[in-house]
Amino acid sequence: MIKKSGSAKWSGDLKTGKGHVSTESGVLNDQPYGFNTRFEDGKGTNPEELIGAAHASCFSMALSMILGEKGLAAESIETSATVSLEQKDDGFSVTNVHLVVKASVPGADKPSFDECAKAAKQNCPISKLLTAEITMDAELV
């Protein structure tokens, strides 16, 4: 089993509080996030764009693997994932992720490419995560 981790620190209330997000690898190290980076145009990151980046990168790798299983190798796969955050009656919800994929795959025809892309969308680990059970341990200190 492979385990990777990310962490976040937050202090203050929702609108004026500040947070920092980090990854185990150190690629992100105390990157700022807050209300202004999520709902306004503040400098920093936010959970939705991090999910989008994770989904785009995971999908691209999955597509590469599936193409390889069919004897095809991509010259390039460019994927963007737009994560939609909407306010509903019970608060905010991520309601949709839209993937846009542009790939150059010598020897691939449109039907076989579409089949591979569909399989990658359904089977990449981040696609599966978006419907996964979430468990938690919570401690008040």
Side-chain angles (χ1 to χ4, degrees):
M1 176 185 303
I2 299 169
K3 292 187 177 187
K4 303 292 182 183
S5 66
S7 62
K9 298 175 191 171
W10 183 267
S11 57
D13 65 17
L14 175 63
K15 288 209 174 182
T16 62
K18 300 291 179 203
H20 290 87
V21 62
S22 298
T23 58
E24 175 184 354
S25 68
V27 171
L28 291 179
N29 187 20
D30 285 331
Q31 293 299 304
Y33 78 102
F35 187 90
N36 64 339
T37 65
R38 194 172 195 184
F39 299 106
E40 300 167 354
D41 291 329
K43 293 230 182 228
T45 191
N46 60 71
E48 290 73 33
E49 78 175 6
L50 295 172
I51 290 168
H55 201 181
S57 60
C58 183
F59 170 88
S60 294
M61 291 179 75
L63 179 55
S64 175
M65 178 191 74
I66 292 166
L67 289 167
E69 290 169 350
K70 299 211 180 264
L72 299 167
E75 287 181 353
S76 67
I77 299 171
E78 296 180 20
T79 306
S80 65
T82 302
V83 177
S84 297
L85 180 69
E86 293 184 56
Q87 188 167 9
K88 301 284 188 173
D89 292 338
D90 60 345
F92 283 90
S93 296
V94 171
T95 56
N96 181 272
V97 178
H98 181 71
L99 298 170
V100 174
V101 185
K102 294 181 182 178
S104 174
V105 186
D109 61 22
K110 179 77 168 125
S112 63
F113 174 76
D114 288 346
E115 178 185 318
C116 291
K118 181 179 177 183
K121 179 180 75 78
Q122 292 173 336
N123 295 303
C124 93
I126 300 301
S127 289
K128 291 177 181 180
L129 168 69
L130 298 175
T131 60
E133 174 188 6
I134 299 171
T135 61
M136 178 176 67
D137 292 322
E139 179 182 353
L140 182 61
V141 293

